[in-house]
Amino acid sequence: MGSVMRQLFDPKSSTFTYLLGDASTGEAILIDPCIDQIERDLALVEELGFKLTLMLNTHCHADHITATGEIKRRFQGTSKAPKSAISAASGADADRLIVPNETIKWAGGTRSLTALATPGHTSGCMSFYDAYTGAVYTGDALLIGGCGRTVSQSYLKLLKFY
């Protein structure tokens, strides 16, 4: 069966969440979970028979980090408690603070994502490259089918590069 990827959309925030699963280990990752879609996301993880081991946020916005916190709260003190991760440059708290070009290993170390600095949506925004599938998960940074936007404070910081 191999790899599972589901792109999930939240119409209220116009954002995507990604579920990555590895059938051989039963591990799953949620990238950018959304607070209004926690029930949907956790139900899908269970339906597919995965154990959620990591919630990875591409950036620090309330719709995503509050979902991560709520999911961690629900599993607190259990063997099912997933870890959280976000860019160190985001200024947010997480179990793991990621820096550009860092490798995030999962699925028992058989799979990995490479962290790419992609400021624009927020100053600490990151994208994640999956060499196994060839996909890049950009979060809200790119306009894909109407999803994504640049936040003004980040735009002003980006102008310093030019």
Side-chain angles (χ1 to χ4, degrees):
M1 187 173 168
S3 177
V4 172
M5 189 283 285
R6 298 287 191 276
Q7 181 184 53
L8 309 163
F9 184 68
D10 176 49
K12 182 177 177 184
S13 64
S14 294
T15 60
F16 289 119
T17 296
Y18 295 92
L19 170 66
L20 307 182
D22 182 76
S24 62
T25 63
E27 289 187 30
I29 292 177
L30 276 177
I31 299 174
D32 286 344
C34 188
I35 189 68
D36 293 329
Q37 299 295 336
I38 290 174
E39 302 306 328
R40 173 202 67 190
D41 297 349
L42 292 178
L44 182 58
V45 169
E46 186 175 330
E47 175 187 322
L48 295 172
F50 290 121
K51 178 185 177 190
L52 182 61
T53 59
L54 179 65
M55 295 171 294
L56 187 57
N57 285 295
T58 61
H59 63 287
C60 181
H61 272 167
D63 54 340
H64 302 303
I65 62 169
T66 55
T68 300
E70 175 58 20
I71 292 170
K72 284 181 65 72
R73 187 193 65 74
R74 290 183 187 195
F75 290 105
Q76 187 174 7
T78 72
S79 62
K80 293 182 176 184
K83 300 292 184 187
S84 60
I86 196 167
S87 165
S90 72
D93 288 328
D95 295 312
R96 182 172 177 181
L97 298 176
I98 300 164
V99 296
N101 301 313
E102 185 173 339
T103 300
I104 300 110
K105 292 188 179 205
W106 66 287
T110 64
R111 301 276 305 276
S112 64
L113 298 169
T114 302
L116 309 171
T118 53
H121 184 60
T122 64
S123 55
C125 197
M126 288 197 143
S127 295
F128 299 99
Y129 172 65
D130 184 350
Y132 184 83
T133 63
V136 178
Y137 300 96
T138 61
D140 300 346
L142 292 179
L143 293 165
I144 303 170
C147 180
R149 55 203 161 270
T150 301
V151 178
S152 60
Q153 53 97 1
S154 297
Y155 175 73
L156 294 176
K157 286 182 181 180
L158 282 175
L159 288 177
K160 292 179 184 178
F161 289 117
Y162 297 102

